[in-house]
Amino acid sequence: MTELSGGPSLPQERRVVTAIPGPKSQELLARKNAAVAGGVGSVLPVFTVRAGGGVIEDVDGNSLIDFGSGIAVTSVGSSAEAVVRRAAAQLADFTHTCFMVTPYEGYVEVCEELARLTPGDHAKKSALFNSGAEAVENAVKIARSYTKRQAVVVFDHGYHGRTNLTMALTAKNMPYKQGFGPFAPEVYRVPLAYPYRWPTGPEHCAEEAAAQAIDQISKQIGAENVAAIVIEPVLGEGGFIEPAKGFLPQIAEFAKAHGIVFVADEIQSGFCRTGQWFACEDEGIVPDLITTAKGIAGGLPLAAVTGRAEIMDAAHSGGLGGTYGGNPVACAAALGAIETMRELDLNAKAKRIEEVMKGRLAALREKYDIIGDLRGRGAMIAIELVKSGTKDPDPEATAAVAKACHSAGLLVLTCGTYGNVLRFLPPLVIGEDLLNEGLDILEGAFAEL
């Protein structure tokens, strides 16, 4: 194998040698604008040539600290050794047969790992796909097949994908849904326990939100008509919202009592991101089905639906699948990513990242009252920005902080229904010096407001 130029061998340092984006990135941006559909945007148009550990290097020689991980994908670091080793070996053997035509062991191995890692000791089976949206869509298909019902319940602020059905499941209109309807029917949205914004305060949030959600399901839909309740145990695009403690168990218990399939969408929060293999473990939730993608394969496209064997087997033979689903190279990469997560104990590393980040960010919140809330778990941390003295969202300040960070060589992402949340998703292998340097840059960005 040729020596790696990126991945773990990449120097772990911030280096800003041009304006960001630099001249070569600007040239490539002009080419992108001429050749790539305008609907495909980029948060920061620096064109990457190498990445690894906690940094991204661009065509101009800048090395940026990465607080994004490709939206929680490169949790083990980009081009992690075990991912490259296993994927390269598979590339040399065969790149594709289609599992539905002639199967291969790697697909089975990934499904076996998912059965071991996901919550619960019941018999489990999995089906593999390409993207998170595909996983969620197939979870709904499986739930409908199993229950012989149609309705699907989702929550305020939730995000589940960009296909027609998953756009219907997603709460936020712009940019995900605007102009793309009509959407799939039989989708119903109910309140989420959002502690920071709950009208009667966070102490009442779990009980009141659960009661409202259950009442709406019972009165407006009829529990006997609901195939699935789909929720992110920690919301992603909706603002890294942790539902108030006690909310998820009540919803899960309601689902169980009424024969509704409870689906945990762990696409952004899974695979050590929150300091546990899966975020739903925090309150002991054992979902009927769990959807995964993003961090599962170290950067290669792979997704899964894993769940109770009797539910997973409800779909008829040939009813699940897809040409590329569970591609052999992606499966090999997933086995390498899981190997890395175990060997490096990335759950512990995520918890240490939380300790460092929350300590620094709590001090920042004391200094700047526009930071209305600090939340998240593990290496899935966020701050919500508001106008001084209020809880009114401040997306303009959020964008200004992000822009200042980018100019200084720190990649950060925004999110939230109101566009006022800065979210931090560093690779779980980031060094503590880089992590603190990134937080120094963030503090400097607030000082510039």
Side-chain angles (χ1 to χ4, degrees):
M1 188 187 301
T2 57
E3 186 176 346
L4 301 178
S5 62
S9 67
L10 196 62
Q12 296 297 290
E13 62 183 17
R14 179 177 67 100
R15 185 174 63 252
V16 179
V17 296
T18 72
I20 296 176
K24 292 181 180 178
S25 279
Q26 295 279 14
E27 290 173 12
L28 284 165
L29 180 61
R31 288 170 56 189
K32 170 192 178 287
N33 290 339
V36 178
V40 182
S42 298
V43 170
L44 177 57
V46 297
F47 281 75
T48 305
V49 291
R50 278 173 288 275
V55 298
I56 294 172
E57 186 178 311
D58 72 9
V59 290
D60 291 288
N62 299 300
S63 179
L64 282 67
I65 299 173
D66 182 13
F67 275 15
S69 299
I71 316 184
V73 169
T74 54
S75 297
V76 297
S78 189
S79 299
E81 185 277 330
V83 172
V84 174
R85 169 170 42 83
R86 286 180 179 252
Q90 181 58 55
L91 274 168
D93 289 340
F94 63 93
T95 57
H96 177 76
T97 67
C98 184
F99 191 76
M100 299 181 300
V101 177
T102 60
Y104 36 88
E105 186 179 7
Y107 188 117
V108 177
E109 287 184 282
V110 170
C111 294
E112 289 170 340
E113 285 282 21
L114 288 166
R116 280 189 283 268
L117 293 171
T118 51
D121 56 7
H122 51 277
K124 301 172 198 165
K125 292 189 177 182
S126 294
L128 304 184
F129 305 98
N130 301 295
S131 69
E134 279 188 67
V136 172
E137 187 138 346
N138 277 278
V140 170
K141 286 168 56 177
I142 292 164
R144 284 174 167 167
S145 182
Y146 177 72
T147 61
K148 312 303 180 193
R149 305 171 182 177
Q150 294 185 349
V152 181
V153 172
V154 289
F155 292 81
D156 288 339
H157 309 287
Y159 174 86
H160 300 287
R162 296 174 183 261
T163 61
N164 186 268
L165 174 60
T166 55
M167 280 191 293
L169 302 178
T170 291
K172 189 175 180 180
N173 177 58
M174 191 68 186
Y176 306 116
K177 302 165 72 167
Q178 175 65 31
F180 298 142
F183 302 113
E186 289 300 310
V187 173
Y188 300 89
R189 198 171 317 283
V190 297
L192 176 84
Y194 187 166
Y196 179 65
R197 295 196 173 275
W198 196 253
T200 59
E203 65 275 15
H204 304 294
C205 184
E207 288 296 327
E208 292 180 1
Q212 288 184 25
I214 289 168
D215 184 67
Q216 286 187 27
I217 295 167
S218 302
K219 302 285 176 39
Q220 298 180 23
I221 311 164
E224 69 277 10
N225 297 315
V226 179
I229 293 175
V230 184
I231 189 167
E232 301 160 276
V234 177
L235 275 68
E237 300 294 320
F240 280 27
I241 302 164
E242 289 185 272
K245 298 298 184 191
F247 176 78
L248 285 173
Q250 290 182 70
I251 299 299
E253 186 57 38
F254 173 79
K256 182 179 180 181
H258 293 277
I260 299 167
V261 176
F262 185 85
V263 182
D265 179 344
E266 293 258 14
I267 285 156
Q268 191 158 165
S269 60
F271 287 100
C272 307
R273 177 52 58 180
T274 63
Q276 293 167 294
W277 280 100
F278 299 97
C280 59
E281 297 177 69
D282 185 64
E283 293 188 86
I285 302 294
V286 178
D288 297 312
L289 301 178
I290 185 166
T291 59
T292 52
K294 290 191 182 292
I296 191 173
L300 274 73
L302 188 70
V305 182
T306 302
R308 298 183 184 276
E310 67 274 17
I311 299 177
M312 292 297 298
D313 280 344
H316 54 274
S317 180
L320 303 177
T323 302
Y324 296 108
N327 170 269
V329 181
C331 285
L335 295 170
I338 292 167
E339 174 189 327
T340 304
M341 291 171 196
R342 283 198 180 103
E343 288 189 356
L344 299 183
D345 191 2
L346 292 191
N347 280 317
K349 289 188 180 294
K351 289 175 182 176
R352 176 57 184 161
I353 289 169
E354 175 184 353
E355 184 180 3
V356 171
M357 293 199 84
K358 280 194 168 177
R360 295 283 304 271
L361 293 171
L364 199 62
R365 182 175 56 175
E366 289 294 316
K367 189 174 181 180
Y368 298 100
D369 69 351
I370 66 167
I371 301 177
D373 196 27
L374 163 60
R375 55 182 180 252
R377 297 204 303 271
M380 190 173 181
I381 304 295
I383 50 176
E384 180 166 352
L385 272 57
V386 293
K387 293 177 181 174
S388 183
T390 75
K391 285 192 177 182
D392 295 340
D394 196 340
E396 293 80 15
T398 308
V401 170
K403 184 177 180 181
C405 288
H406 295 165
S407 296
L410 171 66
L411 175 61
V412 297
L413 305 174
T414 61
C415 66
T417 299
Y418 313 108
N420 68 322
V421 176
L422 285 161
R423 56 173 160 170
F424 309 114
L425 291 161
L428 304 183
V429 296
I430 192 171
E432 205 159 307
D433 288 349
L434 269 184
L435 184 65
N436 275 300
E437 186 177 355
L439 292 166
D440 290 342
I441 292 169
L442 181 68
E443 288 186 12
F446 273 92
E448 291 178 17
L449 284 177

